[in-house]
Amino acid sequence: MLKVALIGAGKMGISHLSILGAHPKVKVVGVCDTSKMVTDILGKYSPFPCYSDHKKMILETRPDAVFVAVPTKHHASLVKELLEQKIHVFVEKPFCLTPHQGEPLIELAKKHKLVNQVGYHNKFNGTFQELKRLLDANSLGKIFHFQGESYGPVVVKKQSYTWRSDPEEGGGCLLEYASHVIDLINYTLAPITSVSGSILKPIYSNKVEDAVYSLLKLSDDLTGVLSVNWSDDTYRIMSTTITVMGTKGKIVSDANELKVYFKDDNTPEGYTKGWNIKYVTDLTDKVDFYLRGEEYSSQIDYFVKAVLGEVPNTINTFQTAWLTDKAIDLIKKSAK
Amino acid sequence: MDRILFGDNQFFAVNHISDEKSRAQAIRFKDDNAIIKTLDYAIDAGIDTFMCTTHDRIANICDHIRKNPVKYKDFKIYPCMPYAHKYANAVTELGYVDTLKQYIPGNLFTTLLKGGKAVLSKDFIAIMELLIDAEMKMFKGINTPVIWLQNVITDLLLGLGMKDILLGFYHYVNKKYDAEAGFITMNMPKLLAVLEEGGVENPIICTSINKVGFRMSGGIEVYEETLRTKKLRVVAMQVLAGGAIPSKEAIEYVCNLPNIESILFGASSKAHINDTVANINHFDQLIKI
């Protein structure tokens, strides 16, 4: 059994905890949160030992791996502390507040040969995996344009203070929301290397942006558009779409549906000329425990397997998440 | 429970395979009248149970039902709580304590706070009971023989090992509302084991049952084995696996399984409703013969 602990039992942390709790190869040895109410409730009703001080928890429980789901501001220092104690780390997205913070952590994980993963769960989604497979096989011919979009109803009115509305804590649509689609662009196409212009627009928030619009250029010179808005209540939940256009066809993929158009008969296996529609129901891998989407269970299962040495630690590493932090930094700078 | 239950996903833009269809549904069912009209199609097709989430707009549907007692004389609602996005968004915005404050009636919350936050955490079951009461308010005067816990909460508690809270829901619904408690889950075999261990006999469970094994966690074989060998009353949902299986084939599979008491489905058009009902009746008849 892998001994796993969790630091931060907020919305994401509690979801990870439930999936870990049901995982047959995991023993949850400790949960740490600064809210007394949270640790009181978990302490009384769940089987997990609870702590308010993570140092004490690590010392007493000696976990093999730790999940970090605290506000982004604390990621860098916590992750460093864990790596120095030779503990494998899964940290929520985004990786760090700046690329400068994250860079030494990549080296540190490498030095101690520790498994490192960041919670960009879309990479474990069946439709986006198929998008990547099609792009890696060059099925679209020469690609000339892409569009990465995310819309949803996170901030739809003026709000009281939360860490998500504070730029110092890692709040704002760019870090919290757009990071998902930036990471998907980096993964399915190529890393973003320059940004020719960006609009960071506050709508309801005072101190952070609620929408991000950018013109991007990738390492292979491909150009495209980023359009993200978390203040759009015409969407029930977050909807992320990647559109890619090439000389041989076009792909439009969201987390549920993959639409592929081919101009002629020269198509990959399983596809024909014209429009092809595939659903996540056909493309997704089965999981042993489902909470809120297969991808949330799959990413944890992948991490557990990586620590146990059953799969390579290649998806969502600190290195790839750092490239996303770097793109976020380029977008910030281009908006000034 | 009736053999066929009508669901509400289509009314609230919940679509598991298409974001585009989800938005089209939001436009189509913008007005409550569009929902009522579709419900009436379902009633005309012989369906008397509406299984729905405790979405704010359901309160308007409940008003309509109360205003037309003769028309809805035999009509039942199975409330499914909570509408999780409401709470999740509130937690993101307000944090845990202020979220509870928002949803628990004013005086009660003050009473709870008198003992400090400690009271909140020491008796979470009491808090849950208050939240159930708040969610049930809109159904006053309406026949609600089964009250459900939504899968995201059932499964969250299941993973967290919070068995007492699951059992607390079961006992409170029985006691306070003289109704049966049902659990929606994507992890049926695991949940059944926990409920059995907690002394719940022949539990009512709503879960994905479909020919392709979609959202049947742990695999279709374990589900089929559980249905064959265990004692439980199942409401089959997602029988079409979000549209991946042709309707006839999907329904034939479900109708042939043991221990499936009811089939839950949602549809927007009259033709689709009638078609699904006819298919279920057809395969049920075949099995009887």
Side-chain angles (χ1 to χ4, degrees):
Chain A
M1 292 288 258
L2 196 68
K3 287 163 67 185
V4 178
L6 168 80
I7 304 176
K11 210 164 81 173
M12 279 314 299
I14 210 88
S15 154
H16 292 324
L17 185 60
S18 176
I19 295 168
L20 288 166
H23 199 291
K25 288 182 180 167
V26 168
K27 181 175 167 54
V28 176
V29 293
V31 179
C32 176
D33 198 276
T34 50
S35 156
K36 191 169 177 332
M37 181 177 146
V38 170
T39 50
D40 276 355
I41 291 176
L42 284 172
K44 181 168 176 189
Y45 296 101
S46 87
F48 313 129
C50 291
Y51 295 84
S52 55
D53 176 359
H54 73 271
K55 285 190 166 64
K56 188 171 172 234
M57 175 176 79
I58 302 296
L59 200 68
E60 283 184 19
T61 65
R62 304 308 310 164
D64 302 308
V66 168
F67 277 62
V68 177
V70 296
T72 315
K73 185 176 96 171
H74 307 293
H75 284 184
S77 59
L78 259 179
V79 169
K80 181 166 183 269
E81 210 182 306
L82 295 166
L83 294 175
E84 281 170 345
Q85 297 183 70
K86 312 237 170 37
I87 295 169
H88 304 288
V89 175
F90 181 107
V91 60
E92 250 321 306
K93 45 64 54 180
F95 182 30
C96 291
L97 282 184
T98 62
H100 177 72
Q101 283 185 348
E103 202 165 8
L105 302 176
I106 302 171
E107 286 312 310
L108 196 55
K110 206 180 277 173
K111 187 177 134 196
H112 294 309
K113 296 191 174 64
L114 293 164
V115 171
N116 52 97
Q117 195 175 321
V118 181
Y120 286 110
H121 52 80
N122 280 322
K123 290 201 191 89
F124 292 89
N125 173 284
T127 51
F128 291 129
Q129 282 172 339
E130 179 68 359
L131 165 71
K132 168 132 177 94
R133 201 184 65 82
L134 290 169
L135 292 174
D136 285 352
N138 292 321
S139 355
L140 289 189
K142 181 159 178 53
I143 296 168
F144 57 85
H145 179 67
F146 71 87
Q147 202 160 308
E149 298 166 275
S150 254
Y151 307 108
V154 179
V155 179
V156 293
K157 57 177 193 288
K158 287 238 178 268
Q159 290 189 324
S160 48
Y161 176 87
T162 77
W163 73 266
R164 283 183 178 78
S165 62
D166 188 340
E168 305 294 316
E169 299 269 330
C173 176
L174 176 58
L175 267 123
E176 274 292 294
Y177 217 63
S179 54
H180 280 292
V181 65
I182 293 167
D183 189 76
L184 264 181
I185 292 168
N186 276 352
Y187 180 63
T188 56
L189 290 158
I192 297 164
T193 45
S194 72
V195 180
S196 32
S198 297
I199 301 164
L200 299 182
K201 198 177 266 299
I203 300 170
Y204 301 106
S205 300
N206 294 322
K207 290 165 73 185
V208 294
E209 72 288 340
D210 294 315
V212 180
Y213 307 103
S214 281
L215 291 174
L216 310 174
K217 191 172 184 182
L218 312 185
S219 63
D220 56 2
D221 283 344
L222 177 65
T223 52
V225 175
L226 176 75
S227 171
V228 180
N229 179 347
W230 75 0
S231 298
D232 187 344
D233 44 12
T234 65
Y235 290 79
R236 189 182 71 92
I237 50 175
M238 183 183 198
S239 173
T240 297
T241 310
I242 304 274
T243 305
V244 186
M245 300 176 78
T247 50
K248 285 168 71 180
K250 174 176 168 176
I251 304 178
V252 184
S253 176
D254 60 40
N256 292 314
E257 193 178 23
L258 180 83
K259 290 175 276 196
V260 189
Y261 179 85
F262 286 112
K263 272 175 183 292
D264 55 38
D265 287 319
N266 183 17
T267 62
E269 209 190 317
Y271 291 86
T272 52
K273 185 180 162 184
W275 280 107
N276 300 262
I277 313 284
K278 298 206 175 190
Y279 298 110
V280 68
T281 42
D282 310 318
L283 299 167
T284 205
D285 286 333
K286 305 270 188 297
V287 296
D288 285 331
F289 180 77
Y290 179 100
L291 181 61
R292 50 191 296 223
E294 282 82 2
E295 61 273 31
Y296 293 94
S297 304
S298 298
Q299 66 170 356
I300 288 179
D301 196 47
Y302 183 80
F303 176 77
V304 169
K305 282 185 173 140
V307 175
L308 294 171
E310 295 169 15
V311 295
N313 174 212
T314 50
I315 303 175
N316 280 340
T317 58
F318 287 178
Q319 170 70 34
T320 63
W322 176 76
L323 288 173
T324 299
D325 285 355
K326 229 174 125 181
I328 289 170
D329 195 49
L330 290 171
I331 291 171
K332 268 190 207 159
K333 284 177 179 150
S334 74
K336 278 177 187 158
Chain B
M1 292 187 290
D2 292 340
R3 177 62 171 167
I4 309 178
L5 315 177
F6 196 62
D8 72 338
N9 274 353
Q10 69 283 357
F11 298 146
F12 303 117
V14 181
N15 192 300
H16 299 295
I17 55 166
S18 168
D19 288 9
E20 207 170 291
K21 278 183 197 142
S22 147
R23 286 191 292 279
Q25 285 165 338
I27 294 166
R28 178 168 184 166
F29 292 106
K30 178 189 163 232
D31 291 321
D32 295 334
N33 280 335
I35 297 180
I36 289 162
K37 207 167 140 188
T38 309
L39 275 183
D40 289 348
Y41 292 148
I43 293 172
D44 292 342
I47 303 174
D48 279 322
T49 306
F50 179 38
M51 184 154 158
C52 63
T53 183
T54 49
H55 192 285
D56 289 342
R57 284 183 64 196
I58 290 294
N60 304 339
I61 308 302
C62 291
D63 283 342
H64 176 79
I65 291 170
R66 277 186 292 262
K67 277 181 200 149
N68 297 277
V70 179
K71 186 175 172 193
Y72 296 103
K73 171 167 71 66
D74 299 320
F75 200 65
K76 298 172 281 288
I77 290 188
Y78 287 1
C80 310
M81 60 183 62
Y83 180 60
H85 284 288
K86 182 170 80 181
Y87 291 99
N89 290 343
V91 169
T92 307
E93 188 184 335
L94 306 167
Y96 289 119
V97 175
D98 285 328
T99 297
L100 287 175
K101 205 175 187 170
Q102 179 160 327
Y103 290 105
I104 292 174
N107 293 337
L108 282 169
F109 190 80
T110 320
T111 315
L112 282 167
L113 268 192
K114 270 182 193 156
K117 280 180 194 169
V119 177
L120 281 178
S121 29
K122 287 287 157 357
D123 197 354
F124 190 65
I125 290 182
I127 307 279
M128 181 189 63
E129 292 175 352
L130 291 172
L131 290 171
I132 295 172
D133 291 346
E135 296 272 316
M136 282 303 291
K137 251 188 179 163
M138 67 171 90
F139 301 103
K140 201 163 184 235
I142 290 173
N143 189 11
T144 56
V146 184
I147 298 170
W148 299 85
L149 192 62
Q150 287 282 19
N151 56 286
V152 70
I153 301 299
T154 304
D155 293 332
L156 180 73
L157 295 171
L158 186 65
L160 293 175
M162 291 182 147
K163 299 166 188 175
D164 291 344
I165 311 282
L166 286 170
L167 297 172
F169 176 81
Y170 175 84
H171 292 302
Y172 187 66
V173 161
N174 271 307
K175 187 181 73 186
K176 169 88 187 259
Y177 293 94
D178 194 21
E180 296 193 88
F183 296 90
I184 310 177
T185 181
M186 301 293 186
N187 306 286
M188 183 265 273
K190 281 193 176 79
L191 174 70
L192 179 65
V194 166
L195 293 177
E196 278 178 343
E197 198 191 302
V200 179
E201 270 179 46
N202 206 10
I204 300 180
I205 296 179
C206 176
T207 193
S208 292
I209 304 278
N210 53 69
K211 206 178 171 176
V212 294
F214 176 60
R215 302 262 152 97
M216 296 165 78
S217 312
I220 192 165
E221 297 80 16
V222 191
Y223 271 63
E224 289 181 350
E225 172 73 12
T226 306
L227 288 171
R228 266 197 307 272
T229 57
K230 302 277 184 175
K231 217 176 152 208
L232 72 168
R233 300 164 65 192
V234 169
V235 172
M237 66 171 179
Q238 297 189 322
V239 295
L240 304 179
I245 320 165
S247 175
K248 262 199 178 140
E249 198 182 320
I251 288 165
E252 183 177 17
Y253 169 76
V254 176
C255 287
N256 276 297
L257 290 172
N259 274 325
I260 307 282
E261 188 165 321
S262 308
I263 297 169
L264 170 69
F265 82 97
S268 305
S269 75
K270 191 176 177 175
H272 192 180
I273 294 170
N274 289 339
D275 187 50
T276 308
V277 171
N279 277 331
I280 296 172
N281 290 338
H282 171 73
F283 288 110
D284 279 350
Q285 281 301 321
L286 277 187
I287 288 156
K288 271 184 201 158
I289 296 161

